[in-house]
């Protein structure tokens, strides 16, 4: 397979079809000067875009949304080609994207519009207002696994909040990233340039964006890169939103609907070749239902096949170097006493990896501790919910999670250390635009999606307007008299002295 050429000293780089290695495009690489120029254009555009009211921005964003829908066949084909995922999965990704653009466009005014705040008794002569201002220019750095959906969780929300965006797509999904930005321009040709633009390249271009004076960096990718970005951003106190890796656990309780749980685990572990940040990587199943559950997951996955044609369930591994990590984890799992209920190292066939089910792997194995990002799953037998919760929580990551239980789903969900939990489904939280998405621990900092996702890209601006002066109550002045404080000494015990 020909890898995407990412050597940083070349002026151009290529993106390739991961199934065939065929070069599909050559892109100019943005150096530091080009990144700074893009940020300068975005800064100029921010003066225009940030001054529009919420209704005007909403109209532009909804036009963009319908442009994405109109172009979805062509866009899906490009995602299929550059990322490798099946056409229908590419279409489903776009469907989620338009749902999120729609939500951000329609909720920005309610979440970020001016609000009156009660001033409190002592300040009752004031009108208090909370308003939100855009940050300015947001730098978005994205991964390749969901090359539109994932960065859009920052892009659509940053735009709806009144910011302009400079987006550095992954070097493995550059054509897709550019198509997305161009669709905004195609939908809104009368707008000034630079409201949503891309800079192309690999890590060095991303690093240049972090150092280019943007007002926030919204990063999605691996935890290792997230840490490097946070350290670099500290130099200029540039705030960061970090959406990083995961090692999501599913708990299958004794009272679970086993058929439904097995179906969801099989799909959640292998869809998109397992290259899903909140995909299923670990399962903790109650001993009483373990054999039946493992047999059902194995039965389903023995019918699931990767490929590039119309009937394939999932595609090739997008990034060649990930194949080595998957292989290492399978071998580590088997070395540490685990058994393969389905597949093994021989499941790796070039860019394609058949599903692999690993049972009762040691919890200290890197196959359980580290993100695998491939179509594999570990299933461990536990002696009940308490052990399942303890093991699920004993991981440095805390992104998504899921619980299968007929009666105790919500109760178990509340005990999980994760940014999100699905009960009796997997990954559903990521498809509900109003629900914030993000993790704890090594999974990152901050939230995309929902009201919290809009607030990430706005600066609260508190305004206190004195409507009239209260004689003798000039608290914030040297004209304050002893009788003012005497009055307060009588008032405060009445207001706050009782424990009610
Ligand atoms: P990656 O960290 O290798 O790269 C992500 C992006 O960062 C790319 O655009 C890359 O060019 C850029 N980059 C690399 N070095 C940089 C640097 N020093 N400064 C600035 N930018 C730099 O990740 P990846 O392989 O593209 O994506 C897979 C990872 O992303 C997995 O760990 C997955 O879990 C995670 N992910 C997380 C979420 C989430 O929402 N939490 C979503 C999707 C993927």
């Amino acid at each position: 397979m020909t890898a995407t050429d990412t050597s940083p000293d070349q002026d151009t780089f290529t993106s390739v079809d991961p199934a065939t290695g065929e070069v599909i495009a050559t892109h100019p690489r943005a150096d530091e000067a080009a990144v700074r120029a893009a940020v300068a254009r975005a800064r100029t555009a921010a003066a225009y875009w940030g001054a529009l009211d919420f209704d005007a921005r909403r109209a532009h964003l909804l036009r963009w949304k319908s442009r994405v829908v109109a172009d979805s066949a062509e866009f899906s084909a490009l995602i299929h080609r550059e990322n490798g995922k099946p056409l229908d999965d590419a279409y489903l990704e776009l469907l989620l994207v338009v749902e999120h653009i729609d939500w951000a466009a329609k909720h920005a005014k309610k979440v970020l519009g001016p609000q009156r705040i009660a001033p409190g008794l002592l300040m009752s002569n004031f009108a208090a207002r909370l308003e939100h201002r855009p940050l300015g220019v947001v730098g978005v750095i994205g991964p390749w696994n969901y090359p539109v959906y994932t960065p859009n969780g920052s892009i659509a929300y940053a735009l709806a909040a009144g910011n302009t965006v400079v987006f550095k797509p992954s070097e493995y999904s550059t054509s897709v990233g550019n198509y997305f930005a161009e669709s905004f321009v195609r939908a809104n040709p009368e707008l000034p340039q630079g409201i949503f633009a891309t800079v192309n390249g690999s890590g060095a271009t991303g690093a240049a964006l972090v150092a280019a004076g943007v007002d926030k960096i919204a990063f999605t990718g691996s935890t290792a890169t997230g840490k490097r970005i946070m350290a670099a951003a500290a130099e200029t106190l540039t705030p960061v939103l970090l959406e990083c890796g995961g090692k999501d656990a599913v708990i299958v309780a004794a009272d679970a609907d086993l058929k439904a749980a097995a179906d969801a685990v099989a799909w959640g572990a292998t869809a998109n070749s397992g290259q899903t940040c909140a995909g299923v990587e670990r399962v903790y199943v109650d001993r009483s239902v373990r054999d039946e559950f493992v047999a059902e997951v194995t039965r389903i996955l023995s019918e699931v096949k990767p490929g590039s044609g119309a009937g394939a369930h999932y595609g090739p591994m997008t990034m060649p170097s990930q194949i080595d990590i998957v292989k290492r984890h399978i071998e580590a799992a088997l070395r540490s006493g685990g058994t393969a209920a389905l597949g093994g190292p021989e499941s790796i066939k070039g860019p394609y990896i058949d599903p692999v089910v690993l049972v009762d792997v040691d919890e200290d194995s890197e196959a359980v501790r580290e993100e695998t990002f491939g179509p594999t799953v570990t299933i461990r037998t536990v002696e009940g919910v308490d052990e399942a919760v303890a093991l699920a929580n004993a991981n440095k990551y805390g992104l998504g999670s899921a619980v299968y239980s007929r009666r105790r789903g919500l109760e178990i969900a509340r005990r999980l250390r994760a940014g999100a939990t699905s009960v009796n489904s997997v990954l559903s939280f990521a498809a509900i635009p109003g629900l914030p998405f993000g993790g704890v621990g090594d999974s990152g900092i901050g939230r995309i999606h929902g009201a919290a996702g809009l607030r990430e890209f706005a600066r609260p601006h508190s305004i206190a307007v004195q409507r009239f002066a209260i004689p003798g109550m000039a608290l914030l002045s040297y004209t304050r008299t002893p009788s003012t404080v005497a009055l307060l000494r009588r008032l405060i015990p009445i207001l706050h002295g009782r424990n009610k």
Side-chain angles (χ1 to χ4, degrees):
M1 181 197 293
T2 312
T4 293
D5 174 12
T6 55
S7 58
D9 46 353
Q10 305 279 327
D11 292 344
T12 59
F13 65 104
T14 55
S15 48
V16 300
D17 179 331
T20 61
E22 181 199 347
V23 172
I24 63 171
T26 301
H27 308 279
R29 184 189 301 279
D31 60 9
E32 264 181 46
V35 171
R36 284 194 180 274
V39 171
R41 280 192 296 277
R43 177 87 50 215
T44 306
Y48 175 88
W49 181 249
L52 294 180
D53 62 21
F54 286 105
D55 293 334
R57 282 197 293 263
R58 168 187 163 130
H60 290 299
L61 289 168
L62 294 181
R63 273 160 60 181
W64 178 36
K65 175 190 78 163
S66 52
R67 184 75 256 159
V68 174
V69 173
D71 293 341
S72 59
E74 189 180 68
F75 203 178
S76 306
L78 179 62
I79 296 171
H80 167 63
R81 229 174 143 215
E82 196 174 45
N83 166 283
K85 69 179 71 183
L87 267 179
D88 283 357
D89 285 5
Y91 181 75
L92 281 178
E93 178 170 350
L94 290 181
L95 183 153
L96 291 179
V97 167
V98 299
E99 287 268 302
H100 276 284
I101 297 175
D102 185 77
W103 198 93
K106 291 180 178 166
H107 288 80
K109 187 175 180 175
K110 183 160 182 265
V111 175
L112 301 177
Q115 296 165 33
R116 286 184 188 287
I117 303 293
L121 196 64
L122 286 184
M123 303 295 278
S124 55
N125 55 329
F126 279 76
R129 294 173 67 83
L130 171 60
E131 302 189 1
H132 286 90
R133 312 269 170 251
L135 302 177
V137 180
V138 173
V140 176
I141 300 176
W144 44 265
N145 60 339
Y146 291 86
V148 195
Y149 167 77
T150 290
N152 182 60
S154 298
I155 293 165
Y157 290 76
L159 289 172
N163 306 276
T164 56
V165 169
V166 178
F167 171 38
K168 208 295 283 174
S170 165
E171 53 274 40
Y172 294 93
S173 55
T174 306
S175 310
V176 169
N178 289 333
Y179 190 99
F180 192 41
E182 283 154 16
S183 74
F184 181 85
V185 177
R186 277 200 298 279
N188 296 289
E190 75 285 12
L191 286 178
Q193 283 199 346
I195 292 172
F196 172 24
T198 53
V199 289
N200 300 322
S202 49
T205 305
L209 183 57
V210 176
V214 295
D215 299 290
K216 184 157 190 164
I217 284 287
F219 165 77
T220 310
S222 64
T223 303
T225 307
K227 287 178 182 175
R228 277 198 285 279
I229 286 178
M230 190 166 174
E235 293 293 321
T236 46
L237 273 192
T238 303
V240 291
L241 164 66
L242 303 176
E243 298 289 342
C244 302
K247 188 74 185 173
D248 288 6
V250 176
I251 292 178
V252 180
D255 69 340
D257 176 339
L258 287 188
K259 287 241 177 297
D263 177 65
V265 162
W267 179 81
T270 61
N272 211 43
S273 323
Q275 304 169 128
T276 302
C277 54
V280 176
E281 296 236 349
R282 303 178 285 153
V283 179
Y284 297 101
V285 59
D286 192 273
R287 183 175 295 283
S288 62
V289 293
R290 180 251 199 211
D291 290 350
E292 197 184 334
F293 175 76
V294 172
E296 184 62 7
V297 171
T298 306
R299 187 192 67 72
I300 297 169
L301 286 179
S302 58
E303 309 274 305
V304 167
K305 295 286 171 238
S308 198
H313 292 94
Y314 59 83
M317 298 298 285
T318 309
M319 199 171 61
S321 57
Q322 196 66 32
I323 298 170
D324 297 335
I325 296 175
V326 177
K327 183 164 182 282
R328 211 177 65 221
H329 284 194
I330 296 171
E331 287 168 353
L334 297 176
R335 244 195 342 267
S336 73
T339 52
L342 181 69
E346 70 285 2
S347 305
I348 299 174
K349 299 164 181 166
Y352 299 106
I353 304 181
D354 286 338
V356 178
V357 179
L358 299 159
V359 179
D360 289 334
V361 179
D362 192 295
E363 287 292 297
D364 286 334
S365 164
E366 63 180 322
V368 179
R369 282 185 291 109
E370 304 292 337
E371 184 179 49
T372 306
F373 228 51
T376 69
V377 63
T378 63
I379 302 178
R380 183 169 185 89
T381 316
V382 291
E383 307 301 335
V385 165
D386 288 348
E387 187 186 0
V389 168
L391 291 177
N393 288 346
N395 193 278
K396 64 185 174 184
Y397 294 109
L399 190 57
S401 53
V403 178
Y404 272 82
S405 167
R406 284 197 170 89
R407 283 175 296 277
R408 300 176 61 191
L410 197 54
E411 171 208 324
I412 300 167
R414 290 189 175 120
R415 296 171 61 188
L416 290 174
R417 175 185 166 275
T421 306
S422 298
V423 176
N424 296 330
S425 78
V426 290
L427 277 154
S428 45
F429 46 75
I432 300 174
L435 280 180
F437 181 87
V440 298
D442 270 17
S443 291
I445 296 174
R447 292 292 180 269
I448 54 171
H449 303 167
L454 283 167
R455 289 191 197 102
E456 287 277 355
F457 298 109
R459 163 172 68 84
H461 190 171
S462 301
I463 302 177
V465 179
Q466 180 164 265
R467 294 181 298 144
F468 54 87
I470 305 177
M473 277 293 281
L475 290 181
L476 310 177
S477 161
Y478 290 122
T479 63
R480 190 180 68 206
T481 62
S483 65
T484 310
V485 179
L487 178 65
L488 287 175
R489 285 192 206 285
R490 285 200 300 279
L491 202 56
I492 292 304
I494 296 167
L495 281 178
H496 297 299
R498 283 171 298 165
N499 187 16
K500 284 207 277 190

